[in-house]
Amino acid sequence: MGKKTEFLFLSEEDMIKAGVLDAEKCVDCLDEMFRLLGQGDYIMGGASHNEHGIRIAFPDEPQFEGMPANGPDRRFMAMPAYLGGRFHIAGEKWYGSNIVNPSRGLPRSILMVMLNDVDTGEPVALCSGNLASAIRTGAVPGVAVRYLARKDASTMGLVGAGPIQRACVQGMMADAKNVKTMYCFDINPEAAAKLGEWAKETYSVEFVACGSMEEALRPSDIVSFATSRLRPVNVKEEWIKEGATLIFTGAAKIEEKLLLEGKVYFDNEKLHAASIDECHNDPKGLEAAYDYNMTGSVYRLIENGKLPPVLDMPSLGDCACGRDPGRTNDKDRICVMTGGMAVEDLAWCHDLVERAKELGLGTNLKLWDSPYWM
């Protein structure tokens, strides 16, 4: 007689009830996760154990009827991982993305997170992943603020005003308690106005919708870039004030002087080393790969020997486990490069599943009473 296997399914509504929108808890959760990364107690995909994921990219001109054609952000991606410590969980984030989805009443990307028992491989939980992914994306800038921003930071610049920026604001404000004014630039003024109404109501801050990116950057102690890789922004060194912390969750072309004269941190330097290797193997060529990659400005400087090898550069994991002191003075300009990792989704979804079980949320689904073939 085989073993009965069931797992928990959590809808988006279940995830909300379990606390998926609690950004402060997510920042603490990911801080713990970064300590595990700094210690090496994790595995992600590929031979390096540090690849972002495996992407299905459709051809520009499909040869078969029904096969999708390539398009902006048109892809499927699988992101497997294992995370140790108290989490001790394996799993995968899986998603499809199509930029035309909003016209269909759908998010651009639709995400699911599966958690699996490390020993047996059995499914533990299947979670709606859109909100979990957004909040954990915003929590990474929150961890960056914790270790790398000035403690007296009172101004925040926001480039991009979409849902991910809102998540970034929530994550950063978990520790940026002295911020009184936010400056925002978005090519869509309506998006900036919408973000402003929410920010003023939520944090009682002054919110300034700016007519240019320069106007948003010059006064800001903390800057969050949440921009699309389809519209990368150009960041000039002269716009950045002394002591500013810049966090790149989105795509940007960063002036060389800012990167060379300031300090550069990665979320996970090993992830970016694997990403550089992938760029070298890109069939479209290295320059095209760097142009596409959100961190291409930094990769080029590493490639040209103007910055140290990526594995010699500091990371949030180094900060979280005490190997790097983080910000040591109020004058350094610090750039933080992030890439997105499945271990972030696993950590946050693990805690949400545990909370859902406590609250009796979700639906138990049966895989089998007894496996048909053993």
Side-chain angles (χ1 to χ4, degrees):
M1 185 68 177
K3 179 178 180 290
K4 182 177 181 179
T5 297
E6 294 181 328
F7 61 96
L8 188 65
F9 170 70
L10 295 177
S11 67
E12 184 169 86
E13 182 180 359
D14 294 326
M15 295 287 279
I16 292 171
K17 291 178 180 177
V20 68
L21 299 176
D22 190 333
E24 292 200 20
K25 280 189 178 179
C26 189
V27 171
D28 290 338
C29 175
L30 291 204
D31 192 352
E32 185 176 358
M33 181 222 71
F34 275 114
R35 285 199 294 276
L36 294 172
L37 261 62
Q39 295 162 4
D41 193 3
Y42 74 100
I43 295 172
M44 292 192 292
S48 69
H49 292 171
N50 278 283
E51 291 182 10
H52 175 72
I54 299 173
R55 178 166 61 101
I56 298 175
F58 294 107
D60 293 333
E61 299 179 3
Q63 299 179 22
F64 301 95
E65 183 179 356
M67 179 181 286
N70 187 26
D73 217 16
R74 182 77 174 96
R75 59 200 158 97
F76 285 94
M77 180 164 276
M79 298 170 62
Y82 160 77
L83 183 61
R86 70 170 177 85
F87 301 99
H88 191 56
I89 196 74
E92 174 189 50
K93 180 164 79 172
W94 166 256
Y95 69 93
S97 180
N98 191 335
I99 203 167
V100 304
N101 274 355
S103 66
R104 302 164 173 166
L106 294 168
R108 185 202 67 191
S109 297
I110 300 173
L111 305 94
M112 301 296 295
V113 177
M114 173 64 80
L115 303 182
N116 295 83
D117 185 279
V118 171
D119 295 318
T120 67
E122 292 173 285
V124 173
L126 177 62
C127 307
S128 171
N130 279 60
L131 292 178
S133 181
I135 297 301
R136 69 78 163 157
T137 299
V140 176
V143 176
V145 165
R146 180 168 290 180
Y147 292 108
L148 299 173
R150 291 175 53 143
K151 300 306 179 187
D152 63 349
S154 62
T155 52
M156 182 178 288
L158 309 173
V159 181
I164 293 301
Q165 188 68 277
R166 180 178 295 201
C168 291
V169 170
Q170 289 178 296
M172 293 185 296
M173 291 298 285
D175 276 72
K177 302 296 188 184
N178 293 316
V179 167
K180 299 295 187 293
T181 307
M182 296 181 185
Y183 300 90
C184 179
F185 171 72
D186 192 284
I187 58 173
N188 180 355
E190 292 181 0
K194 183 178 179 180
L195 182 66
E197 290 302 314
W198 168 81
K200 287 186 286 187
E201 180 179 348
T202 306
Y203 298 107
S204 300
V205 294
E206 179 186 5
F207 191 94
V208 181
C210 300
S212 69
M213 187 168 64
E214 178 183 359
E215 186 183 344
L217 297 186
R218 282 193 179 274
S220 297
D221 298 316
I222 299 168
V223 182
S224 170
F225 295 85
T227 48
S228 168
R229 70 173 73 242
L230 304 178
R231 294 192 189 95
V233 296
N234 293 297
V235 183
K236 293 188 177 182
E237 179 271 339
E238 65 185 64
W239 296 346
I240 308 304
K241 69 184 294 188
E242 182 179 85
T245 303
L246 286 67
I247 306 165
F248 293 90
T249 304
K253 295 179 180 178
I254 310 166
E255 193 168 17
E256 182 176 304
K257 185 179 180 182
L258 176 61
L259 295 169
L260 297 182
E261 293 185 357
K263 290 187 175 182
V264 178
Y265 280 76
F266 291 103
D267 50 358
N268 176 5
E269 75 282 8
K270 296 184 180 70
L271 170 81
H272 291 273
S275 183
I276 289 173
D277 288 342
E278 290 176 21
C279 288
H280 277 270
N281 295 320
D282 194 300
K284 294 182 179 179
L286 184 60
E287 288 305 309
Y290 283 169
D291 284 340
Y292 178 78
N293 195 288
M294 293 195 299
T295 316
S297 297
V298 181
Y299 292 174
R300 279 192 174 93
L301 295 179
I302 293 171
E303 180 80 20
N304 295 330
K306 294 183 177 182
L307 284 175
V310 64
L311 293 178
D312 293 339
M313 297 180 73
S315 69
L316 293 182
D318 293 328
C319 295
C321 70
R323 263 199 314 273
D324 186 278
R327 179 175 286 277
T328 56
N329 65 67
D330 288 342
K331 294 185 177 182
D332 287 335
R333 294 185 295 185
I334 297 176
C335 293
V336 186
M337 319 309 298
T338 73
M341 297 178 283
V343 284
E344 296 163 355
D345 299 277
L346 263 59
W348 188 222
C349 285
H350 169 277
D351 284 2
L352 292 167
V353 167
E354 293 302 303
R355 181 60 175 158
K357 290 178 179 177
E358 293 174 5
L359 297 174
L361 299 172
T363 303
N364 283 316
L365 299 179
K366 182 173 67 175
L367 193 62
W368 52 56
D369 284 313
S370 178
Y372 186 79
W373 270 345
M374 289 276 295

